[in-house]
Amino acid sequence: MQEIIQYLFSGITTGAIYAVIAVGLSMLYSSTELINFAHGEFVMLGAMAIVTLWVHMALPLPLAFAGAVALGCCMGLLFERLAIRTARTPQPIVLVIITVGASIFLRGVAMIVWGKDPFSVPAFSRHDSIEIAGAALLPQSIWIVGAAVLLAGGIHFFLKKTLTGKAMVACAVNKKAAWLTGIPSEKMGILAFAVSTGSGAVAGIFIAPITMSSYDMGTMLGLKGFCAAMIGGLGSLWGAFAGGILLGVLESLGAGLISSGLKDAIAFILLLLILYICPGGLFSAKEAKRF
Amino acid sequence: MVTDSVKAFSKQSLGSCDIECPKDITRSHDILNVRNLTKMFGGVTAQDDISFSIEPGIVCGLIGPNGAGKTTLFNMITGIYRPDSGQVLFNGRPTRKMAVHQLVRAGIARTFQHVELFGSMTLLENVLVGMHVRTKSGFWGAVTRMPWVMREERRAREKAMDLLEFTGLTQYAHRPAGDLPVGRQKMAEIARALASEPKLLLLDEPAAGLNPVETEALGKLIQRVKERAVTMMLVEHDMSLAMGISDKVIVLDRGKKLAEGSPREVQNNQAVMEAYLGRG
Amino acid sequence: MDDNKKKQWTENTIFLVVILGCGLGVDNTYYLQIMTFIGINTLLALGLNMLMGYAGQVSLGHAAFYGIGAYTTAILSGTYGISPWAALVCAVSCAVFIAFVVGLPTLKLSGYYLGMGTLGFGMIVNILFREWSTVTGGSSGFVGIPMLEAGPVSFMSGRNYFFLVWMVVLVAVLLCRRILSSRMGRALRSIHDGENASLAVGVNTHFLKLQIFMFSAALGAVAGFLYAHFVMFISPESFGFMVSVKMVTMVVIGGMASVWGALLGASLLTLLPEVLHGFAEYEMIIFGLILMVVMIFMPQGLTRGLLDIYEHSRKRDKRHGN
Ligand SMILES: Nc1ncnc2c1ncn2[C@@H]1O[C@H](COP(=O)(O)OP(=O)(O)O)[C@@H](O)[C@H]1O
Ligand SMILES: [Mg+2]
């Protein structure tokens, strides 16, 4: 029992990070109809930036945080300008290969900048762990879950309640009609990218203290974020959030109770099952494919 | 217990027979029966309880303003969309369980409103792909190149060239289909559709984008196709073409069937005039 | 038609002469080894090119079939002492069967979903190689794969292995050509140009994609077999995500030009690491850049794109010249 609670705690913690990654992917999809295979690399950039800014350069945490997020946003912006917008034929298969190329490219750059060795980052707050029913709850976990809820809530508020956010969604639904009503769809695309990659960087910052950060951490995280977004149904923010938590808990339970080697396989098996059986996600009945 | 389930079973099979064996079996000589078709896209009712039937050998015009549901109707007859309710019978057989390629083999072919030729392949190859359901060789045939495969290939090519001559496109045979002028592409789509030896040919706005000379040539082509005993449904906005060539006209508006009858009847129909000339 | 045949004959003859020339003329074992690797990679690229270049279906997990071929033969001939040639049959059958089972649901997907599905499949297979260590040797790899022998001929020497690999490549090239010029090949290309139209014309697109997926899996398994018995040691890294990306890069370079495009892509990606000093450091950056730049400017592939530009300029010259 105590063990299971412990697994639940750690599952919810990683799940919250998957949730943030999934929300970023899902948000980009709902405003540009694009799936960014390089999303995980922005998570990695966030983690590596916090290593450099906070651990190595010893900047104050809020400043380092802002710097890392800004880096994520800027790289996303550049990426959109240089690689996505310029594509001659923006069909899915072309964009898949472009974003995969970008992901490999960013990983290669990170390997040269930060080297191959993993870094560890200390916890953000130095409180002792809290004991609940015999299981230890790290303060970092509370940080992470709180930040995830805040971020997802913020993005949700932005898309649903602000004019800019609504305009962004309108662009995805019908670009031409949005253009006719005077929404600058190009600017919306850039903004969507910046917000999405920025939130990816946030996920990276929060995961840094609970794992080792290295140049190749992004691919797995990106794929798991995608898996979570698919569980919740692409384009649905709260679905993505719930999917992330669910995936984290399942992984943690599977790794603890079955075999730790299979931890990563769980996400992928889940991903395939979702793709095959209900590509619209568990929480919505909508079909994802339009003829 | 046992008798109960037997009863239930016989009831069930009787029930299904009601659907499978239509009451008006006397009209089973119709090549196409459409019954109470309904299709929704989100909140849009693209097809609302549409029923009609088509006798073999005729040309049936399908008219209606943009968004009336004409293309959607074609997509359901060809099996690309599944109807929410209602059914389509082709030669008296329900098509609900058939895949698109099976329907093509059974004899339904179509052209697209927006030209969808295989742009990077030559026109001849396009027509050969159109012949896909009438040829057999597969992976092993391709790999072994047995004599029958080569014979089939040769015959297919001859037939494709004949079709290109029939549609007046011989000179373009070895050009990439994407390089053809738009008017020719429309004709090429008809050639490709004819390659599957259809019994029912659905033409979705074949005259859109054609100049008057080409439109006239198209009219003549449709006439000649009709002489080959191919039944046709024709979506057309060009009224003189649609009315001149059709034996029967069906009018759709906002997913509903407004009228059905001879071109003259339809032209004098009050509801149709309203749909076209404006409404409140 | 006849022109085409003549052209193919000359191409094949040149190919054969070049193979013979390289095989007999080159004595340096290092060069022979590199050329053998080029052959193995060409097989991989040929298979994936049929799927991606011609049928237009992306696969980001194709290294899985390469690995399945390699591990099947390694386990059967290394652990159980079965003849490698029998193991080859098993390896290919196994890969084709798995391609069938996986392809059945996966190839119903398209675009991003297909990319994710194939990627997930590749990852699962790789995790299996790593974690099923009692059978596969785990992440430290599989040692003790036997040498290939056929009666009196031993493939111990680099030269014999070179000829073996390139003869297989030649057969694969001929097979691909035959498929492409057939009814099946035309239908495949029609999927690439417009899947909806292809479906509406009566092509059973799902079945066709499945067939070509299985064919490319078979080629991948043969490549894996040749690789395993050549280097005689395999580990999961050789069949991971990066290898799948490398295969995609080969196809993107070769594109839909012809089956020779695959050869070009494979040669380039095999030679680059050998020629460029410190390539390993920059490998990812270079692959990433190639993928992005080619796809942005020449989505039909590098070779096809360059050929198009060349033909375009020649046409223009003709027009101006006359
Ligand atoms: N795949 C689809 N998804 C959503 N709506 C669709 C789809 N196809 C057609 N519609 C809608 O169905 C209605 C009928 O369209 P359509 O059949 O194309 O009309 P027509 O061909 O008569 O101009 C339109 O309102 C259109 O927006
Ligand atoms: Mg229409």
Side-chain angles (χ1 to χ4, degrees), chain C residues 241-257:
Chain C
F241 177 55
M242 262 317 280
V243 180
S244 290
V245 170
K246 193 170 159 179
M247 286 166 72
V248 171
T249 315
M250 290 191 245
V251 172
V252 161
I253 290 176
M256 301 198 21

Side-chain angles (χ1 to χ4, degrees), chain C residues 52-202:
Chain C
M52 266 182 64
Y54 288 100
Q57 307 298 309
V58 70
S59 170
L60 297 173
H62 234 57
F65 297 114
Y66 186 35
I68 288 169
Y71 271 101
T72 309
T73 188
I75 294 163
L76 288 181
S77 67
T79 312
Y80 295 102
I82 294 170
S83 149
W85 304 108
L88 171 64
V89 176
C90 295
V92 172
S93 319
C94 184
V96 168
F97 178 72
I98 291 177
F100 174 76
V101 172
V102 171
L104 210 55
T106 309
L107 292 168
K108 286 226 169 94
L109 307 171
S110 63
Y112 303 111
Y113 298 99
L114 180 62
M116 282 295 173
T118 49
L119 181 50
F121 162 68
M123 289 286 187
I124 291 174
V125 171
N126 204 250
I127 292 172
L128 207 66
F129 291 154
R130 199 181 312 261
E131 298 298 328
W132 198 13
S133 47
T134 45
V135 177
T136 62
S139 45
S140 51
F142 190 105
V143 204
I145 302 169
M147 199 96 53
L148 280 188
E149 272 172 2
V153 188
S154 152
F155 292 101
M156 167 92 147
S157 86
R159 176 161 297 139
N160 284 356
Y161 214 94
F162 169 90
F163 279 123
L164 174 71
V165 167
W166 281 96
M167 282 309 121
V168 175
V169 172
L170 183 64
V171 171
V173 166
L174 292 180
L175 282 184
C176 289
R177 272 251 201 74
R178 285 194 163 192
I179 291 172
L180 287 174
S181 66
S182 72
R183 165 177 179 267
M184 182 183 171
R186 276 193 301 268
L188 267 184
R189 285 187 287 150
S190 79
I191 297 179
H192 183 278
D193 278 11
E195 183 160 355
N196 290 353
S198 182
L199 193 72
V201 160

Side-chain angles (χ1 to χ4, degrees), chain A residues 290, chain B residues 41 44 46 65-72 81 113:
Chain A
R290 242 200 295 190
Chain B
F41 291 112
V44 181
N66 273 326
K70 306 178 295 289
T71 304
T72 307
Y81 292 153
Q113 178 172 357

Side-chain angles (χ1 to χ4, degrees), chain A residues 88-89 101 104 112 226 272 276, chain C residues 106 116-117 282 284 288 296 299:
Chain A
R88 293 267 169 88
T89 46
I104 300 288
I112 287 174
F226 179 78
L272 290 190
Y276 297 160
Chain C
T106 309
M116 282 295 173
Y282 296 94
M284 287 194 279
I296 289 171

